Structure formats: structure tokens, C-alpha cells
Amino acid sequence: MNTATLGFRAPIRDSIEAIARAGFGAIAPWRRELAGEDVTAVARAIRDAGLGVSGYCRSTDIPAATPDAFRAGLDLNRWAIDEAATLGAACFVMVVGGMPEGSRDLPGAREQVREGIAVLAEHARGAGVRLALEPLHPMYAADRACLNTLEQALDLCTALEPAHDGAPTLGVAVDVYHVWWDPNLFRDIARAGADRRLLAFHVCDWRRETRDMLNDRGMMGDGVIDIPAIRAAVEGAGYDGAVEVEIFSAADWWLRPVEETLAVCAERFATVV
Amino acid sequence: MNTATLGFRAPIRDSIEAIARAGFGAIAPWRRELAGEDVTAVARAIRDAGLGVSGYCRSTDIPAATPDAFRAGLDLNRWAIDEAATLGAACFVMVVGGMPEGSRDLPGAREQVREGIAVLAEHARGAGVRLALEPLHPMYAADRACLNTLEQALDLCTALEPAHDGAPTLGVAVDVYHVWWDPNLFRDIARAGADRRLLAFHVCDWRRETRDMLNDRGMMGDGVIDIPAIRAAVEGAGYDGAVEVEIFSAADWWLRPVEETLAVCAERFATVV
């Protein structure tokens, strides 16, 4: 269970308890929830609740308007990678950032991402943390992530880490919301699996009438995505990690009691995922 | 000038006059504007105003929930293709449709598109009309067009019309709004040009803070797209048709006087396109 699904309304310890009580096996917390917390103590609380950590969300944007800002962003990411190690997270989720404010240089932003991830991969390897590059839906290319297809993410993985021992530091997070439309989706899931790059799998749904580009994701089953087909492809390609629910829903699920949202997620898992 | 830029507020003859008066060289009208009109007379009015017809918008959705509805859609498209011929349009713009209401079968919708375009290509060839398959931004994959990348559109063109005499019936419309994010954009523009498939080129801009998924396109220069780079690629690949402005903008440009919108378009053409 990605804590974003709960709308960031409660302290992390409450979310840990609620998620464990609802019967889920793992949690994916956000950095904002750990600000001011003793990360080691949170890691212990998660373990004590019987939960794994399917991922740690998420990277600071890499592309920056100045070299100083670029370096500062990398420092924040190194810090977060160390926290991911403390948490024992299956991966650190890399939402790489879009173009710096005022820029029209998309290739330049992508080049900064390449440079930044090359640096961070070194650090992550030392920390024993795997980096899950998450291609975001193309509608976020300007302001959130200039990594927009699985193909692009995998090309980056193989360019920066061409050889590995079966457990590469660089891999991908497959979120059905971001990739469901991709004509090359099944080809690229297979490619990712063959190279052991499948590090995370996120589910939610795409509402046919999407009202907001950021916070109107649907509950599994309430949209148009053939989630079982994508899940079968991901698991058929060798992924055996958590199936993580991540639903940004300001107008619906975030307004409901946490227990209700968790119960509906569990029910949908049994029926439509 | 695509008449959508003017917000569909005036009768087609007024738009023809306004566009010609503003100094543009061609118009792309919509079917809704010709409903109830004598298309031959409209074609004459366009010619008399000194305008070309850069395209005719747009196809009826192809994917349908039933075989009857599928056939009925093709009939409407055949009718529209004949109108495009009467208008002397450079192409008929194919926005192919998304998934039928209630469907989660994206591959099925894409297969229907393939079947439908195969049929329509025959008709178009007979009518002397070229079909411009327009890949739409992936955020429209559910409800507007399941054709979402240039690569996918070109694969369809070459599958259905592998050989041609230099003037294929099937080609693509490149709209910067839909394709600017694509990591393979420049590769696929070159591919389209090499196979003479570039039939239309549309410009507008992507606002960094997009407020609405359908009707919040930006005026050229007000967004993040490097329009000159894409234009240079399209023209470098051999495209010598119109550069067409298509801006859906319910909260901004559609509220302004038509003359103002046209004047700003002309000014931006001279400075940022």
C-alpha cells in the first residue's frame, strides 16, 4: 500500500497501523511523512507491524536551472537513498523531474537526468539500494518527469548499467496509470523482465472522464485499464514483488475514511487486479 | 488556420473572411461547420477568398461497441471523405476514436482502427483524398484516439499501404501538442518524411500548468514546446504544406475577439514558430 492512497492525512505511524490492520503485506511511505522522524525507529515500527517496504517515494527532481541547483538536488537524493537503505525498501522510486521552470529544452532535461542518475547509481550501489526509474505519463513531461515511456527508461538503464550480476541497481517501476496506453507496453515489460529490471508494480485505474491531471486517479475497477492483463505480463516476466496501490484522488478516495479506502482496495484486489 | 482556434462561434463564411483578411493562406474547417451547408458553395467561397484547404476535420470515431455501429461509423467517414474531396482538402484528418464506452479492450479498439482504416483507405484512394492519421496525446487514449504515437501511426500506414508511388493515401498529421514529449519524435518525423507520409503539421503550445485536458492549449510561445525545432525537423524531412494553427482554449483565446486571436497568431508565427 502506497501511503499516497490515504491522502497524507495521518502521521506515518497511524498509516502503518491502519495498513497492517487491513491485511496488506507492505507499505511504500513518502519522504514528506518521514520529515522530522527518526527513520530507524520508523523502519522498526514497520517491521514490528509485520510489513515490508515495497518502495520509498520519491526522488527530488534532477533537472535544474543552474549547476548549483543540480548538485543540491543530487545531495537531497543521496540523503533519501540512505533513508531507503535504512528502511530496507525494495527500491527508491525515481520520479526524475521535468523541465526547469521557463525552459523549453526537453532534450537538455533528459540529458541532465542521464547525468544525475549516473551519479546516483554509484551512491545507490554503495548503499545497497535499487533505483526504480518510473516513466511518468507523457502529460507530466513538462513539470514532473521527462522520462515518459518504459522504452526510454530501459534504454537509460542499459546505457548506464550495461552489465550486472542479475540484481541491477537500475530498474523500472511500472505504474499502470502511466503506461497503460503504450503501444509497446507488453514488448517492453518483457524486455524489462528479461534484464531483471522490474523493481516495482503500481496499480490504480484511469477514469475515462478524468477531471484533473494529477489527483483524479481511479480505484482499480473503476476505469478503463485492463489491470489483470498488465499484471499477468509483469509477473510472467518474472516480477515477484509487491503489487502496490497508489491512488491520488483528491475529490474521492482522499475524502473517505482511511479504513474504507483500505477495505475497498482489498476487495478490488480480490476481484479486478 | 484551423477554425477550432476561433472557438466555433461564427458561421463558416465569416471565418473564411476573417482568416483571409488576417493574411493566412489556408483554412482547415470542421464538419460541424459545414452541416446544412452546400459544400460545393463553401469550397468556392474558400477559393474565392484566396485560401487553400490544409485539412478537413475530422473523422467519426472508428471503434464501436457493435458491428452495426462500426459500419455506421464507416459510412459517416466515407461521406466526410467525399466532402474533403469537394473541398479540395490537402488531407482528411483522422482522429480515430478511443475505446467504446464501458470497454477495457485497448488492443481490440486498435484492431478495429486497423480494420476501419483499411476500408476507408480504399474509399479515399477512389476519391483522391489523403488520410492523415493523427496520433493523439496518450492522455486521450481512452476516449478520443487509441492511436498515440507517430511510430504507431506509421506502422499502421506501412502495414496497410506498404507500397506507393510517392503520394501515399495514408500518412500522418503531426501536431506538436500531441507529440512534443515523445522520445522518438525526431526519429519518427524523419521516417515519415522518408516515406512521404507527412500530410499535415499543426502548432499550438503546451502550457506548463495545463488546467484542462481538452481545451487549455496554449498560443505558440506561451508554453514549453520547442516549436522551431519540430518545425525544422518536419520541413527538413520534406514537408512543404501549411503550418496550421489549432488551439483549443475555452478559458482564454476563445473568449477574445476573432480578430485579436488571428493577429496574435500571425505575430507569433513571425517570432516563435
Side-chain angles (χ1 to χ4, degrees), chain B residues 167-190:
Chain B
T169 295
L170 295 179
V172 296
V174 175
D175 184 317
V176 298
Y177 192 77
H178 297 305
V179 303
W180 73 276
W181 60 272
D182 189 341
N184 297 321
L185 176 59
F186 294 97
R187 177 197 76 183
D188 291 330
I189 286 173

Side-chain angles (χ1 to χ4, degrees), chain B residues 17 19 56 70 80 109 157 190 199 201 209 212 222 225 235 265:
Chain B
E17 290 309 314
I19 289 166
Y56 185 40
F70 179 78
C157 289
L199 303 187
F201 179 52
E209 307 289 336
D212 180 89
D222 291 348
I225 304 177
E235 295 183 342
C265 286

Side-chain angles (χ1 to χ4, degrees), chain B residues 14-104:
Chain B
D14 293 358
S15 296
I16 293 167
E17 290 309 314
I19 289 166
R21 212 163 42 232
F24 292 90
I27 187 172
W30 283 61
R31 287 162 73 189
R32 65 174 79 175
E33 298 174 301
L34 269 57
E37 296 277 346
D38 174 341
V39 179
T40 305
V42 172
R44 192 179 319 115
I46 292 173
R47 269 199 311 277
D48 289 350
L51 297 174
V53 179
S54 53
Y56 185 40
C57 295
R58 71 173 180 81
S59 53
T60 298
D61 291 354
I62 293 174
T66 67
D68 277 356
F70 179 78
R71 280 190 294 269
L74 293 188
D75 284 344
L76 291 172
N77 278 316
R78 284 192 198 89
W79 187 267
I81 288 167
D82 292 344
E83 291 182 334
T86 303
L87 290 168
C91 61
F92 179 57
V93 178
M94 301 288 299
V95 174
V96 300
M99 290 181 280
E101 192 84 37
S103 168
R104 291 192 184 88

Side-chain angles (χ1 to χ4, degrees), chain A:
Chain A
M1 178 60 54
N2 188 300
T3 57
T5 308
L6 308 181
F8 302 117
R9 290 169 292 173
I12 183 65
R13 282 155 202 278
D14 293 357
S15 296
I16 293 167
E17 290 309 314
I19 289 166
R21 213 162 42 230
F24 292 90
I27 187 172
W30 283 61
R31 286 161 73 189
R32 65 173 81 175
E33 298 174 303
L34 268 57
E37 296 277 346
D38 174 340
V39 179
T40 305
V42 172
R44 192 179 319 115
I46 292 172
R47 269 198 312 277
D48 290 349
L51 297 175
V53 178
S54 52
Y56 185 40
C57 296
R58 71 176 182 77
S59 53
T60 298
D61 291 355
I62 294 174
T66 67
D68 278 354
F70 179 78
R71 280 189 294 268
L74 293 187
D75 284 343
L76 292 171
N77 279 316
R78 284 193 197 90
W79 187 267
I81 288 167
D82 293 343
E83 291 182 334
T86 302
L87 290 168
C91 61
F92 179 56
V93 178
M94 301 287 301
V95 173
V96 299
M99 289 181 282
E101 193 83 37
S103 169
R104 291 192 182 88
D105 185 6
L106 183 59
R110 287 171 169 164
E111 176 57 23
Q112 285 195 45
V113 166
R114 202 195 61 73
E115 288 174 32
I117 290 177
V119 171
L120 295 175
E122 288 283 319
H123 186 81
R125 200 168 288 121
V129 170
R130 306 180 76 177
L131 302 182
L133 311 189
E134 184 167 9
L136 250 55
H137 194 287
M139 69 185 175
Y140 303 124
D143 57 340
R144 296 186 174 269
C146 57
L147 200 61
N148 303 105
T149 62
L150 260 183
E151 178 185 46
Q152 186 192 4
L154 290 168
D155 285 350
L156 191 53
C157 289
T158 50
L160 295 179
E161 189 185 31
H164 60 79
D165 60 0
T169 295
L170 296 179
V172 296
V174 174
D175 185 315
V176 298
Y177 192 77
H178 296 306
V179 303
W180 72 277
W181 60 271
D182 188 341
N184 297 322
L185 176 59
F186 294 98
R187 178 197 76 184
D188 291 330
I189 287 174
R191 174 183 166 195
D195 202 20
R196 306 291 191 98
R197 306 275 187 187
L198 290 167
L199 303 187
F201 179 52
H202 301 172
V203 296
C204 68
D205 215 332
W206 178 279
R207 301 179 68 257
R208 187 179 171 96
E209 308 289 337
T210 296
R211 297 161 294 191
D212 181 88
M213 287 172 63
L214 187 59
N215 291 321
D216 194 28
R217 297 193 184 194
M219 174 65 64
M220 297 79 75
D222 291 348
V224 302
I225 303 177
D226 186 349
I227 302 171
I230 301 176
R231 179 178 181 178
V234 166
E235 295 182 343
Y239 179 71
D240 60 2
V243 179
E244 181 179 313
V245 182
E246 187 180 36
I247 306 176
F248 297 85
S249 172
D252 189 349
W253 297 99
W254 288 356
L255 303 178
R256 307 197 195 194
V258 161
E259 288 68 26
E260 180 186 342
T261 299
L262 290 170
V264 176
C265 285
E267 183 260 321
R268 297 297 174 88
F269 250 99
T271 53
V272 298
V273 172

Side-chain angles (χ1 to χ4, degrees), chain B residues 3 20 44 49 66 70 117 124 151 162 180-181 196-198 227 257:
Chain B
T3 58
R44 192 179 319 115
T66 67
F70 179 78
I117 291 176
E151 177 184 46
W180 73 276
W181 60 272
R196 306 290 192 100
R197 305 276 188 187
L198 291 167
I227 302 171

